[in-house]
Every structure is written in structure tokens, then in C-alpha cells.
């Protein structure tokens, strides 16, 4: 959405329908307002869309067929076709401009469109108290307006995010997923309260929102979530602590390197790479060397994040007797894209035919490392 007027008109049709107590009667009134003969209106309202194929082609045709299709859907299964409905308002407005004699009847049938973004945002904010389906559409629309910088939309979203206890969890998490669009220090008390409610289904998003907004008072509560029974919550806690780059969380994140869930182990390793420092590097290196899990590529990737300081140690690891460690070293070296790594990777790619525990060739890992290194180097060259 880039144009306010277009956004107003796109959503007008849906609002026009949802405000009607008798949608079929409303549809019939719109059909009559197009100026078509009563026989055509009767055919459309009876669901005989095939009868419209012989109707004259004029400026009212598209609006007439659109409303007729909506009426047919309502009569058959009672479902409102949103894609059809969102076109009704704009089509009617355009038809009134092209055919001034129809503007009056169409205005009587449809009412007036919102006068701009402010009135539309007000409608969306009010819709947050409606049915669940409407609430979900409303929160999406408010997020779009917030992205365009509309202050009233940002205020409405802040009210949603401020108290998880009063919100549908899906609506609430949708807002928190875009917290940087509207969040500020005023949300800290509500988000900390939500974070302490560890039984809430949105606690993962509470942790990430606190991290996105830099609420450091949340760190102890997020660290405690690393012991949560839900792996998605543990993963979210790892991600949040990585965003904080919080050294105090290193011991707790190190423990998650042995988590029973693969993606939690991976996210913990990534977080340690984001935090950096000798303690985090030592934890990752030890986990890799101890072969705690045959799938340890995430450890190699996290170690590579430390950059040039780890390259020499990784090159030395390419001569280790253990093919698993040589393969992991290849993966990490490729991700560093360091010039010093290329000779070692080229040598292993040409000569190391040993197999890892998972059955892959070290030479294959070296070739993959070379491809990764060249891809990163090419991207750097392009960006400069």
C-alpha cells in the first residue's frame, strides 16, 4: 500500500457490506442504482449469472456483474467474497464520475466513502472489538498504515501491545511481530508483564519484542525462558538474547547447545556468535570438538561469525585425524571467506576422500566451503 486514497477505496467495499444488516437487500439496491432494467436486476438476484452474458456492454457493466456475483455467493452459501467486495466501492465511485446521472442513486445506495486515512484508521481501530475474522483484517490494515507513518494507527497498535490480557493472542502477536513500527518506552511495563506470564501462548513474541525495543530489564525473565517446556519459546528466548548481545546469558545459552530440539541448539549457537567474546567462542569450540551431536553445522556457522581471529585455528583443524572435524572446519572456513582459508579448502577438495559419520565426503564439504567463500567474496565485490 503506497497511496492513501487507493487504500481508502480498496477497503470501502468491504466496509459497505459489513455495515449492512440485510446484505442481499443492499446488493439489490446497488444493482438498481446502476440504471439497468428491472429484468436484469431480477435475473442477477436470482443467481442467473449466465443471463448477464447477453447484457449490453456499458460503463455500468463491471459494477453490475461484481455486485451480482456477490449476491449469488451470498444466496448459495452465505459467504462474502472479499475479493469481489473490495472492488464495489471504487467501481461505484468511478461510475458516478463517468455517468453523473447515476451518481445520486449510487450515493443513496452506497453512502459516502471515508474522507481519508484518519477516518479509515478510526474504523479499523473500532474493528479490533469486532469478530475475530474482522479483528485479524483490522490489525493487518493498521500495520500497513503504521508503516506509512500514520500516527493514529501507531497509537492504536500501541494500545493493542500494551496489555496481552485483553487481546486475542493472534492479533497481539501480529502487532508484536512489527513492534519496531510503533513501539516505544511506554510499552515496557506491559511487555514485561506479558513476559512474566509464561503460560501465555504469546510469551515467545513478548521476549522478541523486548529485545527489538532494547528493554534490558527483560533479560533475566528471558533467560529463565530457556528452561521453558515449549521448544518454540526456548528458541525465541535464544534469539532475543542474541539480539541483546548479552554476555551474562552465555552460560545459559551454552546449556542450550545440548537441547533436545535441533532448532533450539542452532539458535543458541547463533546467539553465542552474535554475543561474541572469548567465553562464547570457547563454548562453541568445545561443543564442536566433543562431538555432542553428529549434525553440528550450526556450530561451525556460529564459530565463523567470529571472523579473522578464528581462521588460523580452523585451518589447523583441517589436518585433524577426525573427518567430522575436518568437514566442519571446511564449512566454517567457507563462511569466513578469508583468503587464508582458500589453499586448505582447495587441497581437501582435491584429495580428502574420507567419509564423515553421516556418510558425506570431506572433499564435498571442502567444495561447498569454496563455493560459499566465492559467493560471499563476489557479493562483497558487487556491493562495493
Amino acid at each position: 500500500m503506497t497511496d492513501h486514497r487507493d487504500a481508502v477505496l480498496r477497503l470501502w467495499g468491504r466496509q459497505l457490506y459489513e455495515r449492512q444488516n440485510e446484505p442481499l437487500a443492499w446488493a439489490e439496491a446497488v444493482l438498481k442504482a446502476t440504471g439497468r432494467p428491472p429484468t436484469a436486476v431480477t435475473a442477477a438476484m436470482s443467481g442467473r449469472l449466465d443471463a448477464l452474458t447477453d447484457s449490453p456492454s456499458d460503463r455500468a457493466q463491471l459494477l453490475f456483474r461484481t455486485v451480482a456475483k456477490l449476491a449469488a455467493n451470498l444466496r448459495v452459501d452465505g459467504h462474502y467474497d472479499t475479493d469481489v467486495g473490495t472492488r464495489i466501492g471504487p467501481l461505484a465511485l468511478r461510475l458516478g464520475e463517468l455517468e453523473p446521472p447515476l451518481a445520486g442513486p449510487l450515493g443513496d445506495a452506497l453512502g459516502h466513502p471515508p474522507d481519508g486515512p484518519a477516518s479509515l484508521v478510526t474504523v479499523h481501530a473500532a474493528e479490533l472489538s469486532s469478530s475475530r475474522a474482522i479483528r485479524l483484517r483490522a490489525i493487518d490494515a493498521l500495520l500497513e498504515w503504521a508503516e506509512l507513518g500514520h500516527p493514529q494507527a501507531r497509537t492504536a497498535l500501541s494500545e493493542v501491545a500494551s496489555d496481552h490480557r485483553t487481546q486475542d493472542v493472534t492479533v497481539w502477536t501480529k502487532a508484536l511481530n512489527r513492534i519496531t513500527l510503533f513501539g516505544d518506552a511506554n510499552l515496557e511495563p506491559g511487555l514485561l508483564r506479558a513476559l512474566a506470564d509464561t503460560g501465555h501462548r504469546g510469551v515467545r513474541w513478548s521476549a522478541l519484542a523486548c529485545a527489538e525495543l532494547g528493554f534490558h530489564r527483560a533479560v533475566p525473565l528471558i533467560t529463565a525462558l530457556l528452561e521453558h517446556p515449549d521448544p518454540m519459546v526456548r528458541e525465541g528466548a535464544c534469539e532475543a538474547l542474541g539480539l541483546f548481545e548479552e554476555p551474562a546469558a552465555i552460560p545459559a545459552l551454552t546449556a542450550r547447545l545440548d537441547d533436545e530440539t535441533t532448532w533450539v541448539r542452532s539458535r543458541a549457537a547463533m546467539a553465542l556468535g552474535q554475543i561474541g567474546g572469548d567465553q562464547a567462542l570457547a563454548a562453541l569450540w568445545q561443543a564442536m570438538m566433543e562431538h555432542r551431536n553428529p549434525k553440528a553445522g550450526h556450530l561451525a556457522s556460529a564459530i565463523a561469525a567470529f571472523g579473522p581471529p578464528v581462521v588460523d585455528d580452523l585451518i589447523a583443524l583441517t589436518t585433524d585425524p577426525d573427518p567430522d572435524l575436518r568437514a566442519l572446519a571446511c564449512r566454517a572456513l567457507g563462511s569466513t571467506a578469508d583468503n587464508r582459508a582458500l589453499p586448505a579448502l582447495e587441497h581437501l577438495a582435491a584429495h580428502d576422500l574420507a567419509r564423515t559419520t553421516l556418510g558425506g565426503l570431506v572433499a564435498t564439504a571442502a567444495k561447498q566451503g569454496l563455493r560459499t567463500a566465492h559467493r560471499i567474496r563476489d557479493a562483497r565485490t558487487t556491493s562495493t
Side-chain angles (χ1 to χ4, degrees):
M1 184 192 304
T2 57
D3 185 271
H4 288 182
R5 183 176 182 276
D6 287 348
V8 170
L9 296 180
R10 273 204 307 274
L11 296 174
W12 187 31
R14 176 176 65 78
Q15 293 176 0
L16 288 170
Y17 165 72
E18 289 172 350
R19 291 171 183 166
Q20 309 307 313
N21 293 324
E22 298 181 14
L24 283 171
W26 170 80
E28 184 174 7
V30 177
L31 291 174
K32 291 178 179 178
T34 64
R36 288 297 179 85
T39 53
V41 174
T42 301
M45 290 304 298
S46 64
R48 292 169 49 213
L49 297 183
D50 57 322
L52 303 181
T53 58
D54 298 326
S55 60
S57 178
D58 57 24
R59 289 170 171 170
Q61 182 184 34
L62 185 55
L63 175 62
F64 190 89
R65 292 183 64 86
T66 301
V67 178
K69 181 178 178 183
L70 172 63
N73 291 344
L74 288 168
R75 187 174 293 281
V76 172
D77 55 20
H79 291 161
Y80 170 60
D81 187 332
T82 304
D83 290 336
V84 172
T86 53
R87 296 199 296 271
I88 293 171
L91 286 173
L93 193 64
R94 181 61 177 159
L95 179 58
E97 293 171 350
L98 295 173
E99 299 283 352
L102 296 180
L106 286 170
D108 293 338
L110 294 172
H112 298 286
D115 57 10
S119 61
L120 190 60
V121 169
T122 299
V123 170
H124 291 317
E127 287 177 336
L128 292 174
S129 301
S130 188
S131 69
R132 187 171 188 273
I134 294 176
R135 289 200 305 271
L136 293 176
R137 288 201 298 267
I139 198 70
D140 286 338
L142 287 169
L143 287 167
E144 291 185 35
W145 286 116
E147 192 169 10
L148 289 169
H150 199 284
Q152 190 178 350
R154 290 177 174 177
T155 299
L157 290 166
S158 292
E159 291 177 2
V160 170
S162 64
D163 193 348
H164 71 292
R165 298 167 298 184
T166 62
Q167 299 295 333
D168 176 286
V169 67
T170 304
V171 170
W172 192 70
T173 54
K174 274 178 171 282
L176 263 60
N177 273 334
R178 306 292 301 282
I179 194 74
T180 55
L181 287 178
F182 60 89
D184 56 28
N186 293 322
L187 291 180
E188 185 171 12
L191 288 177
L192 290 176
R193 183 170 57 246
L195 193 55
D197 186 358
T198 58
H200 187 255
R201 289 191 294 127
V203 69
R204 177 183 190 275
W205 287 268
S206 306
L208 292 170
C210 286
E212 291 279 1
L213 297 178
F215 295 158
H216 283 270
R217 290 170 55 197
V219 168
L221 290 170
I222 296 174
T223 303
L225 291 179
L226 292 173
E227 303 294 334
H228 197 280
D230 186 341
M232 287 189 64
V233 174
R234 298 198 300 275
E235 182 202 23
C238 291
E239 183 177 353
L241 292 169
L243 291 173
F244 274 119
E245 299 183 3
E246 178 55 60
I250 289 176
L253 286 168
T254 299
R256 288 303 105 205
L257 295 177
D258 295 322
D259 195 276
E260 62 187 19
T261 304
T262 302
W263 68 81
V264 177
R265 295 195 298 269
S266 178
R267 185 63 72 175
M270 187 183 301
L272 288 168
Q274 290 173 286
I275 294 170
D278 293 342
Q279 186 183 3
L281 177 58
L284 291 165
W285 195 273
Q286 181 178 353
M288 185 172 70
M289 298 298 290
E290 290 180 355
H291 289 282
R292 298 177 188 171
N293 192 291
K295 294 183 178 181
H298 58 284
L299 297 172
S301 297
I303 289 171
F306 287 80
V310 300
V311 170
D312 288 336
D313 288 336
L314 288 170
I315 291 173
L317 197 61
T318 63
T319 63
D320 193 277
D322 187 334
D324 285 349
L325 292 178
R326 296 201 301 276
L328 289 171
C330 290
R331 176 166 182 166
L333 286 170
S335 295
T336 66
D338 193 292
N339 286 335
R340 292 170 292 169
L342 299 182
L345 290 173
E346 290 167 352
H347 175 78
L348 292 178
H351 302 291
D352 197 332
L353 301 180
R355 292 193 176 274
T356 67
T357 301
L358 296 176
L361 291 174
V362 176
T364 301
K367 292 173 184 177
Q368 291 172 341
L370 282 169
R371 285 196 293 270
T372 300
H374 289 310
R375 185 172 63 251
I376 294 172
R377 291 160 63 84
D378 289 344
R380 290 173 181 170
T381 302
T382 301
S383 65
T384 56

